[in-house]
């Protein structure tokens, strides 16, 4: 009889602990779902990119530079519904950003533009990295979206500067003068080297 009572009490204890475990698990799941919803809402609110050209030069590039047009189109399409959609979109944006290094129009194939494209790619890749972490730091993703927008504006302004500078007429002989300043084009000295054994006047 004592064994039956002990077994009965043990069974009740096991059932009670299982119920407590289930309640704990459900509470943790609800907490995690609430946290994920908050992260989603924060990223959804921050996900605003400058996808429209800010000046005439950038607008013309949309017509002629395929990679630039594709990149702006990609950042203009906002994902909906889930964090997974934002993760997929982030990966797609990263691929389009990397493609900006291809087929840069000859007018803009300059160090200033390449440097800004590299910075833009780095920030897009960082955003893609953060959004794919198990614990997504939504504040960092939101910050990087702002940084990407700043880099886009900087890149477009630099394009505009290059176009404006090209419109300024060069003065007569300026091209030759600039060539003379270029040390890579300097003519090596044809004078014989000085003899070290000759006396020098000091």
């Amino acid at each position: 009889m004592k064994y039956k009572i002990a077994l009965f009490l043990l069974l009740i204890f096991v059932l009670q602990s299982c119920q407590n475990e289930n309640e704990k698990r459900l509470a943790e799941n609800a907490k995690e779902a609430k946290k994920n919803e908050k992260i989603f809402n924060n990223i959804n609110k921050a996900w605003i990119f400058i996808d429209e050209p800010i000046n005439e030069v950038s607008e013309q590039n949309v017509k002629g530079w395929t990679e630039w047009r594709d990149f702006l189109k990609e950042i203009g399409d906002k994902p909906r519904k889930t964090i997974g959609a934002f993760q997929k979109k982030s990966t797609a944006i990263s691929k389009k950003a990397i493609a900006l290094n291809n087929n840069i129009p000859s007018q803009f194939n300059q160090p200033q533009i390449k440097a800004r494209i590299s910075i833009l790619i780095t920030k897009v890749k960082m955003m893609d990295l953060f959004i794919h972490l198990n614990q997504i730091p939504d504040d960092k993703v939101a910050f990087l979206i702002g940084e990407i927008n700043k880099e886009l504006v900087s890149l477009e302004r630099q394009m505009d500067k290059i176009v404006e500078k090209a419109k300024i007429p060069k003065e007569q002989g300026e091209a030759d003068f600039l060539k003379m300043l270029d040390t890579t084009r300097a003519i090596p000295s044809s004078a014989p080297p000085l003899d070290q054994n000759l006396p020098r006047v000091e």
Side-chain angles (χ1 to χ4, degrees), residues 18-191:
C18 285
Q19 191 176 1
N20 288 345
E21 284 294 318
N22 283 342
E23 286 173 10
K24 217 183 269 185
R25 198 175 308 120
L26 287 172
E28 283 175 13
N29 288 346
K31 189 178 175 183
E32 189 68 26
K34 199 172 184 181
K35 184 180 172 186
N36 287 340
E37 186 181 347
K38 185 184 173 200
I39 289 170
F40 172 81
N41 289 335
N42 289 344
I43 290 174
N44 190 37
K45 197 189 304 178
W47 198 276
I48 301 167
F49 289 102
I50 301 171
D51 61 326
E52 292 294 320
I54 64 164
N55 54 36
E56 197 177 312
V57 173
S58 181
E59 206 170 306
Q60 289 169 356
N61 280 339
V62 168
K63 295 172 189 167
W65 185 7
T66 309
E67 289 78 9
W68 179 247
R69 181 176 58 240
D70 292 347
F71 177 74
L72 290 180
K73 186 178 183 305
E74 196 65 55
I75 63 173
D77 296 336
K78 186 175 180 177
R80 303 269 182 245
K81 295 180 184 172
T82 64
I83 271 293
F86 281 104
Q87 290 171 331
K88 283 180 186 173
K89 178 54 76 175
S90 178
T91 302
I93 290 171
S94 184
K95 286 177 184 172
K96 297 292 183 187
I98 292 166
L100 287 174
N101 277 324
N102 304 334
N103 306 319
I104 299 172
S106 57
Q107 184 181 19
F108 301 118
N109 200 355
Q110 298 183 19
Q112 307 95 301
I113 296 292
K114 288 181 176 181
R116 281 169 176 77
I117 289 173
S118 292
I119 294 167
L120 178 65
I121 290 169
T122 301
K123 296 204 170 161
V124 168
K125 281 182 172 181
M126 284 173 65
M127 180 190 72
D128 189 38
L129 172 78
F130 283 130
I131 207 165
H132 280 89
L133 294 174
N134 288 335
Q135 298 294 319
I136 299 171
D138 50 319
D139 54 335
K140 288 184 181 176
V141 172
F143 173 76
L144 282 165
I145 289 168
E147 289 295 300
I148 289 166
N149 282 330
K150 284 180 191 173
E151 294 308 325
L152 281 168
V153 169
S154 173
L155 177 59
E156 291 180 56
R157 284 188 178 150
Q158 187 61 45
M159 289 175 189
D160 194 44
K161 278 183 189 175
I162 288 170
V163 169
E164 290 304 312
K165 195 174 177 183
K167 287 178 184 175
I168 300 170
K170 286 190 168 61
E171 289 186 26
Q172 188 177 1
E174 186 178 350
D176 294 333
F177 179 71
L178 291 172
K179 280 182 188 175
M180 286 179 9
L181 289 177
D182 187 2
T183 57
T184 59
R185 298 173 50 91
I187 300 169
S189 177
S190 58

